[in-house]
Amino acid sequence: MNWEDFLRDHHRPHLLEVKLEVRISTKLLAARAVLERLALSLGTVGNYAFETEGTTVYAAFEEDADAERFAKVFRSEQTSRDSEWASKTFARMDDAIYQWMERLLKSGA
């Protein structure tokens, strides 16, 4: 779903903020595509959207369970709540995580 439309239609969704490590930041579009494929492969039930800004990819989810499944892949570092988001989780993606996700998605898991 388009980022702006998603935010307009969903009050206080769940956010995963993924910081891309320096080496992988040059592959920003590829990293975003991998994240989008991951959302599909995890059987996301609710609506979701992605946005990129600098070396960060933001993934917003309508459903808490979808956000939790997605965040577990990253062994997320911190989760908080604020007025804009029902939950906000911070994670990072380095080359090793990126390559692992690509292998996982290629294997059809």
Side-chain angles (χ1 to χ4, degrees):
M1 189 172 193
N2 174 280
W3 184 257
E4 288 80 20
D5 293 341
F6 180 89
L7 293 181
R8 182 193 65 232
D9 295 345
H10 298 89
H11 176 69
R12 293 191 74 232
H14 304 273
L15 179 73
L16 175 64
E17 183 176 316
V18 181
K19 296 279 186 188
L20 303 178
E21 296 294 319
V22 176
R23 284 176 256 131
I24 198 168
S25 66
T26 58
K27 304 175 191 172
L28 183 60
L29 294 177
R32 179 180 169 155
V34 166
L35 293 174
E36 290 179 6
R37 288 178 33 221
L38 178 65
L40 288 173
S41 74
L42 291 174
T44 307
V45 176
N47 288 325
Y48 59 91
F50 292 91
E51 178 71 359
T52 55
E53 185 177 294
T55 59
T56 303
V57 178
Y58 298 95
F61 297 90
E62 174 184 19
E63 299 293 330
D64 182 45
D66 292 337
E68 284 181 19
R69 269 195 314 277
F70 204 81
K72 282 182 185 178
V73 171
F74 293 93
R75 297 183 183 121
S76 46
E77 299 165 0
Q78 177 185 357
T79 301
S80 64
R81 296 185 186 279
D82 65 28
S83 60
E84 189 175 355
W85 307 101
S87 67
K88 188 173 183 180
T89 304
F90 301 93
R92 66 178 186 81
M93 180 191 281
D94 59 17
D95 284 329
I97 293 171
Y98 176 81
Q99 291 169 0
W100 173 79
M101 280 188 193
E102 281 194 317
R103 287 191 306 272
L104 180 70
L105 291 167
K106 284 180 185 175
S107 71

